[in-house]
Amino acid sequence: MKLKKINTLLQSNLQRNGLEEPTPLQKGTFGIIKSGVDVVTFAPSEEGKTTAMVIAALQRIDRVIETDIATKVLIVVKSRKDIDELVELFQEYGRGMGVRVYPIYEHADIDDDKNQLSLGNDILIGTANRLNELFSGAGFDVNQLKMYIIDDVDEQLRNRLEPRLYRLSESIGKTQRVYFATEEVEQLDMFVDKTMTEDVLFYDFYDDEEEE
């Protein structure tokens, strides 16, 4: 996939999976997210939103130090299905990069999750409910977090997960925040104002499409 200054191994993995050319969304967001600013992206799922998210996360990690324990990228999704989809994509697109991906599922043993995470991970994926359970206990290091991603933030806000998303945002402190949405919802503006920096950038795929 031809993206400016993309990790060469990531690029090879994408091409091996048949992704030779980026979608307009993937091309439009790659450099913006890579710059480290807070970003809100509006785009339909068929534009490769999930792949854009995985590419951004793998590129942001840069290099893996196996002795690191702290999570580098935290991703909040709607459901177990979304978790499984992301894990599969990270395995394929991150092949050979040494990236440690850990999914946490609802109703699993929370102590077992904490023990596993203490061994080290790079990307942590879970729902807002489960991540709040995990973060409520002591000993979770988020000081080295490089990126906090909320996928389908519009749907999650509509599903009344706003208090849990706020709580997560407050617990992780300062880091790059990247939100993906299909459409703008009433709660989103206030959520962005409270959780992102004033320099937040908005990438609206629908606007680009109209200009064409």
Side-chain angles (χ1 to χ4, degrees):
M1 184 178 284
K2 298 174 183 177
L3 291 167
K4 190 174 182 180
K5 295 184 179 179
I6 188 173
N7 179 293
T8 54
L9 185 50
L10 172 57
Q11 183 180 44
S12 296
N13 287 335
L14 292 169
Q15 291 174 336
R16 184 171 55 81
N17 281 275
L19 301 177
E20 296 288 344
E21 294 292 338
T23 66
L25 167 67
Q26 292 158 3
K27 186 175 182 179
T29 57
F30 180 74
I32 297 173
I33 298 176
K34 189 158 70 82
S35 72
V37 300
D38 289 352
V39 184
V40 180
T41 294
F42 297 100
S45 297
E46 58 268 22
E47 271 298 308
K49 188 156 55 79
T50 304
T51 296
M53 184 195 322
V54 173
I55 292 172
L58 290 172
Q59 181 72 28
R60 191 77 171 88
I61 288 175
D62 187 27
R63 63 193 182 95
V64 171
I65 301 175
E66 291 185 0
T67 55
D68 280 355
I69 294 176
T71 300
K72 303 297 187 301
V73 178
L74 176 64
I75 305 178
V76 189
V77 297
K78 304 191 307 295
S79 66
R80 180 177 184 129
K81 179 182 177 183
D82 296 323
I83 295 173
D84 290 339
E85 180 183 2
L86 280 175
V87 169
E88 184 176 348
L89 289 179
F90 275 117
Q91 289 173 344
E92 288 298 322
Y93 301 160
R95 190 179 297 273
M97 296 177 69
V99 176
R100 298 161 296 178
V101 180
Y102 192 80
I104 60 168
Y105 296 105
E106 305 276 350
H107 312 303
D109 188 322
I110 196 73
D111 290 326
D112 184 54
D113 281 334
K114 290 178 180 179
N115 290 335
Q116 290 297 318
L117 288 171
S118 70
L119 301 176
N121 73 100
D122 299 295
I123 299 173
L124 177 63
I125 310 170
T127 63
N129 287 331
R130 188 58 169 173
L131 288 168
N132 268 281
E133 283 186 72
L134 181 68
F135 279 36
S136 64
F140 192 83
D141 182 7
V142 290
N143 293 324
Q144 297 181 50
L145 200 67
K146 293 186 175 183
M147 180 182 285
Y148 172 51
I149 299 174
I150 304 179
D151 191 24
D152 297 309
V153 65
D154 50 335
E155 291 188 49
Q156 298 206 50
L157 291 173
R158 274 201 303 262
N159 290 335
R160 300 182 180 178
L161 290 171
E162 192 170 347
R164 293 173 178 81
L165 294 174
Y166 271 131
R167 202 173 301 127
L168 281 174
S169 181
E170 290 171 357
S171 67
I172 64 176
K174 185 178 180 180
T175 189
Q176 182 187 20
R177 294 155 195 265
V178 181
Y179 302 160
F180 289 88
T182 302
E183 60 184 1
E184 189 161 356
V185 294
E186 183 179 352
Q187 307 97 314
L188 186 55
D189 284 342
M190 185 176 294
F191 184 73
V192 168
D193 286 342
K194 289 186 176 181
T195 61
M196 287 182 152
T197 66
E198 293 181 357
D199 298 326
V200 56
L201 293 179
F202 290 83
Y203 178 86
D204 194 331
F205 170 82
Y206 303 103
D207 284 348
D208 286 353
E209 194 175 42
E210 288 176 5
E211 289 174 6
E212 291 177 4

